[in-house]
Amino acid sequence: MAQKVKLSTIAEALGLSTATVSLALRDSPLVADVTKERIKEAARELGYIYNRRAASLRTSRSGIVGVCVHDVMNPFYGEILKAIEHELDRNRQTFILCNHYDDLSKQRSFVDTLLQLGADGLILSPALGTPPADIRLAEENGLPAILIARTIDGAGALGFRGDDAYGMGLAVDHLVSLGHRSIAMIGGTRATSTGREREAGYLAGLARGGIAFRPEWRIEGPRSRHSGFDSAGPFLAIKDRPTAIVCFSDLVALGVMYGLARQGIRPGVDVAVVGYDDIDEAEIAMPPLTTVSNGQSEVGERAAGALLERLSGMEAREHTTLIRPHLRVRQSCGSPEAG
Amino acid sequence: MAQKVKLSTIAEALGLSTATVSLALRDSPLVADVTKERIKEAARELGYIYNRRAASLRTSRSGIVGVCVHDVMNPFYGEILKAIEHELDRNRQTFILCNHYDDLSKQRSFVDTLLQLGADGLILSPALGTPPADIRLAEENGLPAILIARTIDGAGALGFRGDDAYGMGLAVDHLVSLGHRSIAMIGGTRATSTGREREAGYLAGLARGGIAFRPEWRIEGPRSRHSGFDSAGPFLAIKDRPTAIVCFSDLVALGVMYGLARQGIRPGVDVAVVGYDDIDEAEIAMPPLTTVSNGQSEVGERAAGALLERLSGMEAREHTTLIRPHLRVRQSCGSPEAG
DNA sequence: CTGAAAGCGCTTACAG
DNA sequence: CTGAAAGCGCTTACAG
């Protein structure tokens, strides 16, 4: 490339000052329309590239928002992300993405990077074991944080997530209404708010149905398609095998279903399966998966909206907004409609 | 937050110059070890945050790499991304992600943003219809680009992708060796190099097997799980229905399989199905999917490596590296091993 | 081994 | 409506 074109290049070419050029390029009403046109024209011709680092150094606004989740490849987060991306795009914010894979040090180094770049804000689904102090550190250094999917008490931040306990209750109630009296729960961990809430919802649902919980019904851990698949074996080994399963997530449920099918057990016929999240794939699974719709896009949209509001100066104090989930009945619990 | 802590804050506190502090913090051998320790200690205590914008304005190196693909939620890209992420992380580069959804204007505005941020490089799976000039524009403005998955002739850039024609040939050969004489191909479009290559491989495979291609065997278009699912109908409507299907991707194949199953046609029994990409999910699908392993992580790793080399000053001229795919036989083409 | 000074490319009061 | 000048927080020759 030739000599770098900067504001002063344009200014000199036109016999104006850099101040005027700067103002004109940002459409300030302070500059006469004709002048503006000449300037923009020249900028285009010279191939001018706006230097955001310089501007941001001066204004201390970067137009960058960081988003950090467990793993983008998980469709649950993917769907939230799409909504965030859409909101941010409309507001001309650039977003930087990071997977923390529940590794606290990865999350920390990302927050650090954002701080160094002077990012305007952070949308975070916190890694396992994130201490509230980590969130406060960001806030104190001028990086407002919004929590999604998982929340952390005492962090003093806004959060948006589905009402997991209520949602899982819906799933259990549905199974009970279908006549099931022994219901297993596969997947999830108590180390996240999500895991705790969904388990609580499961237990509460059982209680409402007058069913005494049996510890062997609870297979903790799986949170991915693969680990769901692998838990088909342990499930089949439960003595007095339950007639129904609620899963921590759709991914786990899909894994469980194909794992069962591999062993000759037909999901939706031999055993009822309910998922959680209602990801896109649920409706075209085999069989179509009954699940709890968790409002991913609403979470993403509202989180982005809240951040944008904070950027425009709104104050906020700790508060978690619960999005209300609802049940989506398909064929994996038996086939009311034609399969 | 209190007063912002900067280099000069530390310098004053210690009675040193900012030059020394700057050097010390970056571990320059020019600074005495004791001084270094004092400085680092003070930085920690004062809660100093390095301002990368300022540094980058001065050095014109930003430590930022942009990555832009069709859609991160597609596991094919997801797996490439993981490899890139890993490489970049090790080299302390921050990466900014963008989905272009094959929208040229989205891709352009992303490249623009990178230019404005002074990004060090770009890894791109170009959107449909990307003109070579777009790539050259980036290069001319100091943004070296590496192409992945899809390539563009005349862009003058390095590229890494699987040998799609060869790989699809493998799939067809396999089917032919199993005795199939009528093989459909579902999915993909000629608008991408990937689509063209895979179709060419399909046609060549047919020719090698002495099979005359029939136009009704080719269902163009589907590139997602959902559209694959929806193409089960059209496939079943083909007169003299083919006994086997090769699919543009695993996602399409998975959709097709569940679509067929929904209509009572058993994939792997009533019709053979082969996918492409060998994504994680392929082995736990029902039935396990025979597919072509496409070397996603190698693509990602080598692309990132090549970019890193260019950043350290290596020159490069247009060249595409083809990663050799290989066939992964599972049960979706009939069940040699126990299903 | 350490310091004084210039400069990266913008924006923002302040004058005129 | 336009211009001159300072300053954002670093790094980098250059001296000493």
Side-chain angles (χ1 to χ4, degrees):
Chain A
M1 65 193 145
Q3 207 48 38
K4 187 87 120 305
V5 178
K6 44 193 172 176
L7 278 192
S8 63
T9 318
I10 303 177
E12 276 167 30
L14 260 34
L16 292 168
S17 73
T18 58
T20 305
V21 175
S22 168
L23 259 11
L25 256 19
R26 282 172 300 138
D27 254 329
S28 158
L30 293 177
V31 180
D33 282 348
V34 260
T35 320
K36 251 190 242 180
E37 270 323 307
R38 280 176 59 212
I39 292 176
K40 288 186 180 174
E41 176 67 24
R44 222 171 299 127
E45 267 176 17
L46 293 169
Y48 171 66
I49 290 171
Y50 180 66
N51 186 328
R52 259 160 80 159
R53 292 169 287 182
S56 141
L57 183 56
R58 186 58 230 257
T59 60
S60 64
R61 260 279 212 155
S62 64
I64 291 178
V65 169
V67 181
C68 190
V69 300
H70 177 86
D71 184 356
V72 218
M73 263 177 74
N74 182 326
F76 168 70
Y77 288 112
E79 290 172 11
I80 293 183
L81 247 40
K82 284 224 162 111
I84 293 180
E85 181 184 21
H86 182 74
E87 279 302 294
L88 257 26
D89 253 26
R90 293 196 317 161
N91 289 274
R92 317 200 55 65
Q93 294 271 338
T94 301
F95 83 97
I96 303 193
L97 203 64
C98 174
N99 297 322
H100 55 55
Y101 303 117
D102 276 324
D103 174 344
L104 211 47
S105 72
K106 242 174 140 358
Q107 175 176 295
R108 280 188 181 136
S109 89
F110 180 64
V111 171
D112 232 57
T113 300
L114 292 179
L115 253 13
Q116 296 181 359
L117 290 173
D120 295 337
L122 165 65
I123 297 180
L124 176 69
S125 177
L128 281 186
T130 302
D134 278 26
I135 312 294
R136 285 199 305 268
L137 176 82
E139 292 266 359
E140 279 159 18
N141 286 288
L143 185 69
I146 307 280
L147 267 24
I148 51 172
R150 303 172 179 171
T151 49
I152 294 180
D153 293 333
L158 287 181
F160 295 86
R161 62 173 175 84
D163 187 340
D164 293 305
Y166 173 80
M168 193 52 94
L170 252 28
V172 174
D173 291 350
H174 176 65
L175 257 7
V176 169
S177 78
L178 257 28
H180 293 278
R181 305 296 300 166
S182 58
I183 303 172
M185 174 173 178
I186 298 184
T189 153
R190 286 208 196 105
T192 62
S193 61
T194 324
R196 285 189 300 272
E197 294 279 319
R198 293 190 188 168
E199 187 178 276
Y202 160 68
L203 263 9
L206 249 29
R208 260 196 311 279
I211 299 173
F213 168 68
R214 291 168 45 181
E216 62 269 34
W217 290 352
R218 180 71 181 102
I219 300 180
E220 246 187 276
R223 285 190 291 150
S224 67
R225 193 190 292 264
H226 259 92
S227 48
F229 183 85
D230 292 337
S231 62
F235 170 77
L236 292 176
I238 300 177
K239 135 172 129 68
D240 298 330
R241 189 209 303 164
T243 58
I245 309 172
V246 292
C247 296
F248 172 71
S249 68
D250 281 358
L251 237 33
V252 170
L254 261 7
V256 168
M257 289 207 302
Y258 299 139
L260 291 173
R262 192 76 72 90
Q263 319 246 2
I265 309 292
R266 292 161 301 169
V269 179
D270 302 322
V271 57
V273 178
V274 183
Y276 204 105
D277 289 341
D278 194 23
I279 61 177
D280 274 351
E281 188 186 339
E283 64 163 313
I284 59 172
M286 194 61 213
L289 182 63
T290 291
T291 184
V292 178
S293 172
N294 199 10
Q296 284 86 302
S297 33
E298 190 174 348
V299 167
E301 195 179 309
R302 296 191 57 181
L307 181 59
L308 259 11
E309 272 184 3
R310 289 208 52 191
L311 297 192
S312 65
M314 292 252 307
E315 273 311 309
R317 43 181 235 300
E318 178 157 348
H319 176 72
T320 297
T321 303
L322 294 183
I323 311 290
R324 173 159 283 232
H326 54 274
L327 190 70
R328 185 135 251 154
V329 177
R330 288 195 271 248
Q331 282 85 57
S332 61
C333 301
S335 198
E337 308 144 55
Chain B
M1 68 195 139
Q3 207 45 40
K4 187 86 119 312
V5 178
K6 42 192 175 175
L7 278 192
S8 63
T9 318
I10 303 176
E12 275 166 31
L14 260 32
L16 292 168
S17 73
T18 58
T20 305
V21 176
S22 168
L23 259 12
L25 256 20
R26 282 172 300 136
D27 254 329
S28 158
L30 293 177
V31 181
D33 282 348
V34 261
T35 320
K36 250 190 242 181
E37 270 323 305
R38 280 178 60 214
I39 292 176
K40 288 184 180 174
E41 176 66 25
R44 221 171 299 127
E45 266 177 17
L46 293 168
Y48 171 67
I49 291 171
Y50 179 66
N51 187 328
R52 261 160 79 159
R53 294 168 287 182
S56 143
L57 182 56
R58 187 56 231 259
T59 60
S60 63
R61 260 276 213 157
S62 63
I64 291 177
V65 169
V67 181
C68 190
V69 300
H70 176 85
D71 184 356
V72 217
M73 262 178 74
N74 182 328
F76 168 70
Y77 287 112
E79 291 173 10
I80 293 183
L81 247 40
K82 285 225 161 111
I84 294 179
E85 182 184 20
H86 183 74
E87 279 302 295
L88 257 26
D89 253 26
R90 293 197 317 161
N91 291 274
R92 317 201 56 65
Q93 295 271 336
T94 302
F95 84 97
I96 303 193
L97 204 64
C98 175
N99 298 322
H100 55 55
Y101 304 117
D102 276 325
D103 175 343
L104 212 47
S105 72
K106 245 175 137 359
Q107 175 176 294
R108 280 186 182 139
S109 90
F110 180 64
V111 171
D112 232 56
T113 300
L114 291 179
L115 254 14
Q116 297 181 358
L117 290 172
D120 296 337
L122 166 64
I123 298 181
L124 176 69
S125 177
L128 281 186
T130 302
D134 277 27
I135 312 294
R136 285 198 305 268
L137 176 83
E139 292 267 358
E140 280 159 16
N141 286 287
L143 186 68
I146 307 280
L147 268 23
I148 51 173
R150 303 171 179 173
T151 49
I152 294 180
D153 293 332
L158 287 181
F160 294 86
R161 61 173 175 83
D163 188 341
D164 293 305
Y166 173 80
M168 194 51 96
L170 251 28
V172 175
D173 291 350
H174 176 64
L175 255 9
V176 170
S177 78
L178 257 27
H180 293 279
R181 305 296 299 167
S182 58
I183 304 171
M185 174 173 179
I186 298 185
T189 153
R190 286 208 196 107
T192 63
S193 60
T194 324
R196 287 188 298 272
E197 294 279 319
R198 293 190 189 169
E199 187 179 277
Y202 160 69
L203 264 10
L206 250 31
R208 261 197 311 278
I211 300 172
F213 168 68
R214 292 169 43 180
E216 62 268 34
W217 290 352
R218 180 74 180 102
I219 300 181
E220 246 186 279
R223 286 191 290 150
S224 67
R225 193 191 292 265
H226 258 92
S227 48
F229 183 86
D230 292 337
S231 62
F235 169 76
L236 292 176
I238 300 177
K239 136 175 127 73
D240 298 330
R241 188 209 304 162
T243 58
I245 309 173
V246 293
C247 297
F248 172 71
S249 68
D250 280 358
L251 237 33
V252 170
L254 260 7
V256 168
M257 289 208 301
Y258 300 139
L260 291 172
R262 191 76 72 88
Q263 318 248 3
I265 308 292
R266 292 162 302 170
V269 180
D270 303 322
V271 56
V273 178
V274 184
Y276 205 106
D277 289 340
D278 193 23
I279 61 175
D280 274 351
E281 190 186 338
E283 64 163 313
I284 59 171
M286 194 61 213
L289 182 64
T290 291
T291 184
V292 177
S293 173
N294 198 9
Q296 284 86 303
S297 33
E298 190 174 347
V299 167
E301 196 180 309
R302 295 191 58 181
L307 181 59
L308 259 10
E309 272 184 3
R310 288 207 54 191
L311 296 192
S312 64
M314 292 253 306
E315 274 311 309
R317 43 182 235 299
E318 178 157 351
H319 176 74
T320 297
T321 303
L322 294 182
I323 312 289
R324 173 158 283 233
H326 54 272
L327 190 70
R328 186 135 249 155
V329 177
R330 289 195 270 249
Q331 282 85 61
S332 61
C333 301
S335 199
E337 309 143 55

